[in-house]
Amino acid sequence: MAMTGILRPGHVQLRVLDIDEAVTHYCDNMGLIETDRDDQGRVYLKCWDEHDKFSVVLEPSDTSGMNHMAFKVRTEQDLWRFESNVKNFGVETTRIPAGELNGCGERVSFVAPGGHRFDLYAVKESVGNGIPTTNPAPWSEDTVGMKAIRFDHCLLYGDDHDEEVRFFVEALEFELAEQVVDGETQIAAFLSCSTKAHDIAFIRHGEPGKLHHASFLLGSWEQVLRAADIISMKDIPLDVGPTRHGLTRGMTIYYFDPSGNRNEVFAEDSYRYPDSPVLTWTADNSGQAIFYHSRTMVESFMAVVS
Ligand SMILES: O=C/C=C/C=C(\O)C(=O)O
Ligand SMILES: [Fe+2]
């Protein structure tokens, strides 16, 4: 398919309060693999089935939340094309030199209208997924915990929701896949740059720049139930699930990392093409849109962001 120049979510840099506890959580509990550390104390992680060097950066900090989310673009020409799209939208950009994050090429960085920082890059060091590329085995024997396959998406809460969504559609060429509307007002937007039901999602909120969750793909509903077992076995703070979303049809469970950043692991059950219709959920039915079985909103799920 003619994917846009944006290939996929490439990484998320999360602020964490205790780096050792965070590494234990993301590696031992979720199955990510540590690939590097740098002189700022940042730790680089990847999921087992990712080839690029990292998809999560843990940054020691006094606060939790998201430093930035980055998308990988297909070519360097795409990087400069999106840089000019972003500027033409009226959003300032800066360039971050190659190597500022270990193994990552030059980045174009900007703060979107909802207060979230995003970076784009075309190049990242490839370290492979531990499986040969000739006659590959279907899975790696070296995975532990929840065996997260890839970093999949973030759901972000921002204060200029309409402009942030328009920015993603007009400047970054994402497509609206699903939405929640209250009359004329869009409450939530699920945006795709691929055949996935979402690569990023936004919810209308009173404050700028908030992270609702960073989400990682698992292989099946059974793997989601196994993740639920691990959450109990390891005494990880559970938020909601296991259950199914109406929106995006994801089979899901939410919990918190030791710093209070919400994580999701999920199995996908949906797809879209550029000619797929936009799916709309109405606010009077938002309980079912979010949690299809209980059909009830969970107050803490909506309220807690980092
Ligand atoms: O209100 C939140 C809805 C969340 C949906 C997802 O996190 C998802 O589909 O991955
Ligand atoms: Fe999600």
Side-chain angles (χ1 to χ4, degrees), residues 49-96:
D49 203 19
E50 294 171 315
H51 291 264
D52 284 358
K53 175 168 177 158
F54 62 90
S55 60
V56 172
V57 180
L58 301 174
E59 171 198 336
S61 176
D62 296 335
T63 57
S64 56
M66 184 179 88
N67 173 296
H68 72 276
M69 178 178 178
F71 293 94
K72 189 177 192 184
V73 302
R74 191 189 290 263
T75 64
E76 203 157 85
Q77 290 93 296
D78 285 319
L79 193 57
W80 310 136
R81 185 166 68 81
F82 285 114
E83 180 184 53
S84 89
N85 285 1
V86 170
K87 284 185 178 153
N88 290 340
F89 192 91
V91 169
E92 253 179 69
T93 63
T94 53
R95 291 185 182 182
I96 300 175

Side-chain angles (χ1 to χ4, degrees), residues 91-242:
V91 169
E92 253 179 69
T93 63
T94 53
R95 291 185 182 182
I96 300 175
E100 195 281 329
L101 280 169
N102 289 351
C104 190
E106 189 170 11
R107 281 175 285 159
V108 170
S109 181
F110 44 86
V111 176
H116 303 99
R117 177 181 148 198
F118 296 98
D119 292 1
L120 306 177
Y121 65 91
V123 174
K124 195 181 276 178
E125 184 188 336
S126 176
V127 298
N129 66 354
I131 295 172
T133 53
T134 302
N135 302 326
W139 41 268
S140 165
E141 289 179 296
D142 299 328
T143 54
V144 300
M146 298 179 193
K147 302 176 189 287
I149 292 170
R150 68 167 186 248
F151 166 53
D152 189 86
H153 65 268
C154 286
L155 173 60
L156 304 175
Y157 278 35
D159 65 342
D160 199 348
H161 175 82
D162 296 320
E163 275 300 279
E164 193 152 45
V165 171
R166 191 169 73 84
F167 173 76
F168 263 75
V169 170
E170 292 180 12
L172 302 181
E173 301 174 356
F174 280 63
E175 289 171 345
L176 182 66
E178 301 201 25
Q179 61 181 343
V180 181
V181 298
D182 187 355
E184 297 293 296
T185 306
Q186 185 184 66
I187 313 266
F190 290 71
L191 299 163
S192 177
C193 64
S194 68
T195 54
K196 290 159 55 190
H198 59 325
D199 291 291
I200 189 158
F202 294 104
I203 289 193
R204 182 181 294 276
H205 188 60
E207 272 179 295
K210 292 296 182 183
L211 171 70
H212 185 272
H213 66 267
S215 183
F216 299 83
L217 181 73
L218 302 184
S220 67
W221 173 230
E222 191 178 358
Q223 292 291 314
V224 176
L225 298 182
R226 202 174 149 278
D229 294 341
I230 291 169
I231 286 165
S232 189
M233 282 154 70
K234 307 252 182 168
D235 214 17
I236 298 166
L238 174 67
D239 188 25
V240 183

Side-chain angles (χ1 to χ4, degrees), residues 181-182 281-287:
V181 298
D182 187 355
W281 295 82
T282 53
D284 58 340
N285 202 31
S286 56

Side-chain angles (χ1 to χ4, degrees), residues 153 155 190 198 203 213 245 247-248 254 264 290 301-302:
H153 65 268
L155 173 60
F190 290 71
H198 59 325
I203 289 193
H213 66 267
H245 291 301
L247 277 157
T248 77
Y254 293 92
E264 174 184 38
I290 297 172
F301 179 77
M302 302 310 295

